[in-house]
Amino acid sequence: MSVALAPGLIHHPGYLDGPACRRLAAEVAAVLAASPPFTPRMPRSDKPFSVRMGGAGPVSWVSDKQGYRYQPHHPETGEPWPPIPPTALAAWEALAAYPAPPEACLINLYAPGTRMGLHQDRDEEDFDAPVLSLSLGSPALFRYGGLARSDPTRSVRLMPGDALVIGGPSRLIHHGIDRIYGGQDLLADDILPGLLPLGGRCNLTLRRVTKAANSDAD
Ligand code: SIN
Ligand code: FE2
């Protein structure tokens, strides 16, 4: 079952069932054991994000005083990022409708009480590919608007196991996380101990960063 929240913004509630969530959480725990979460900082102001992040793939996203960018190595350890978790790659193959694999998997770790302000995902070269989001742990209130920051917004609750495709005419919409609803998690209590406090949430976003050679529709 899927719901078009807007053209190109497709919500797949419960896309991953309980066992698949646990499998993905175990894969994420292995990524983060090899490549520890870090705290990104705002460009210029150097203010820390409240969300902690990890990454996987040939490149992943970092932010610091110098700006936002994708890079092939972890900002603190200097090591290459681990491979993208197989359960996440399978979801991309099933849902992304794009002829090449993702190049980055951002792993956002939300402690209870953290949020992510309204923003666009536009540091990629290829907006033909969607961003695919997979949620684990506590539910979250996802806010989405339009291409202009001032456009009206709506909200949807993202539950553990939900997939959200942010693509097509919605690829560059503003979006953010207003709230984490602790208390019902599949993940934080027993699968990512030490990485997420009780009631935390983990969100993966898979992205294509460079244009695939065969991606041109025309
Ligand atoms: C993001 O916008 O990068 C993450 C969204 C989410 O946590 O659901
Ligand atoms: Fe985003």
Side-chain angles (χ1 to χ4, degrees):
M1 202 249 319
S2 67
V3 184
L5 301 174
L9 182 65
I10 314 297
H11 185 200
H12 300 266
Y15 176 73
L16 300 173
D17 63 11
C21 286
R22 286 181 174 272
R23 189 168 68 241
L24 178 58
E27 292 168 3
V28 170
V31 166
L32 297 176
S35 183
F38 59 95
T39 299
R41 307 184 74 91
M42 291 296 288
R44 290 191 300 272
S45 75
D46 207 31
K47 201 172 151 244
F49 283 45
S50 64
V51 173
R52 289 195 309 145
M53 290 187 70
V59 293
S60 196
W61 189 87
V62 301
S63 177
D64 59 22
K65 242 181 137 154
Q66 277 78 53
Y68 306 132
R69 64 195 174 275
Y70 285 93
Q71 63 181 40
H73 53 269
H74 188 285
E76 290 167 3
T77 67
E79 296 289 326
W81 306 99
I84 297 177
T87 301
L89 277 182
W92 174 276
E93 273 161 31
L95 300 177
Y98 188 77
E103 294 169 296
C105 174
L106 280 60
I107 302 172
N108 289 340
L109 299 173
Y110 297 85
T114 58
R115 45 192 303 286
M116 182 175 286
L118 214 60
H119 66 277
Q120 292 171 294
D121 292 355
R122 57 171 190 203
D123 299 323
E124 302 75 27
E125 285 167 25
D126 188 0
F127 299 137
D128 293 338
V131 171
L132 172 64
S133 136
L134 298 170
S135 292
L136 295 171
S138 291
L141 191 62
F142 178 86
R143 181 194 292 271
Y144 59 98
L147 300 181
R149 204 184 160 77
S150 56
D151 285 344
T153 62
R154 306 177 116 187
S155 295
V156 64
R157 201 179 282 219
L158 295 182
M159 302 297 290
D162 285 9
L164 182 67
V165 179
I166 306 172
S170 288
R171 175 63 181 76
L172 290 172
I173 58 165
H174 286 77
H175 60 278
I177 294 292
D178 282 346
R179 182 162 175 206
I180 304 297
Y181 299 95
Q184 309 177 28
D185 38 333
L186 282 174
L187 169 85
D189 303 359
D190 50 354
I191 303 193
L192 291 184
L195 289 170
L196 259 183
L198 208 65
R201 168 176 186 257
C202 176
N203 175 265
L204 309 188
T205 47
L206 299 167
R207 295 126 187 262
R208 181 78 203 175
V209 177
T210 64
K211 225 170 168 49
N214 56 349
S215 70
D216 280 333
D218 45 27

